[in-house]
Amino acid sequence: MLRAIAELGWDPAGLVVADGFAARLFGMTVRAPCRGAGTPVVMCLPRTRSVHTCFMRYALDIAFADRAGHVIRLHKGVAPWRVVSCRTAAFTLERATAVDTATGFPKKEENGVDRFSGFGILNELSFAADLAR
């Protein structure tokens, strides 16, 4: 796990290993994206080849790694209500995309709109409507 975190440049990180059923089910949904000192939380899901971002309030960077800890696939900025997978992965790492260390929450886009807050498709539809205006 630590090798993959180093390869990704996600160090320093507050590593959380989701071994139990509840931790795996809820994942990053119930966790703040940063710890108190502004250190980003990286969640490791052992024996996981597919993850979802249902009920997330922000986008995730999701990395799949092999048994040796080498990153084999990286998905950046995965929006809520998505599923990503990698058949050959031994474990998965995930963290919030572009966390603002001052607030501990994901950064807003340049225009001040947080595209990924709230629940998935409704926000994407409203974001698309804003772009159309």
Side-chain angles (χ1 to χ4, degrees):
M1 291 178 238
L2 298 178
R3 176 181 285 173
I5 290 172
E7 275 186 21
L8 292 163
W10 292 1
D11 203 21
L15 181 63
V16 176
V17 179
D19 274 336
F21 176 76
R24 294 173 68 82
L25 177 65
F26 294 112
M28 291 289 288
T29 306
V30 296
R31 295 189 183 278
C34 282
R35 294 213 168 143
T39 305
V41 171
V42 174
M43 178 163 282
C44 177
L45 299 151
R47 302 168 312 280
T48 301
R49 297 180 180 143
S50 182
V51 295
H52 66 82
T53 59
C54 298
F55 303 104
M56 289 301 304
R57 295 167 298 178
Y58 46 84
L60 293 177
D61 292 339
I62 301 172
F64 296 96
D66 62 17
R67 289 180 189 189
H70 296 289
V71 176
I72 51 180
R73 185 169 294 154
L74 173 63
H75 298 270
K76 290 186 173 186
V78 179
W81 299 99
R82 301 292 190 275
V83 175
V84 293
S85 59
C86 176
R87 289 182 330 155
T88 58
F91 64 91
T92 303
L93 297 172
E94 54 186 37
R95 73 168 187 171
T97 299
V99 173
D100 182 352
T101 55
T103 63
F105 287 94
K107 292 181 181 178
K108 300 216 181 277
E109 292 184 3
E110 289 179 15
N111 62 3
V113 175
D114 183 1
R115 175 180 172 186
F116 300 112
S117 65
F119 292 100
I121 192 71
L122 296 177
N123 280 329
E124 289 183 22
L125 292 173
S126 69
F127 180 74
D130 289 344
L131 286 179
R133 288 183 204 166

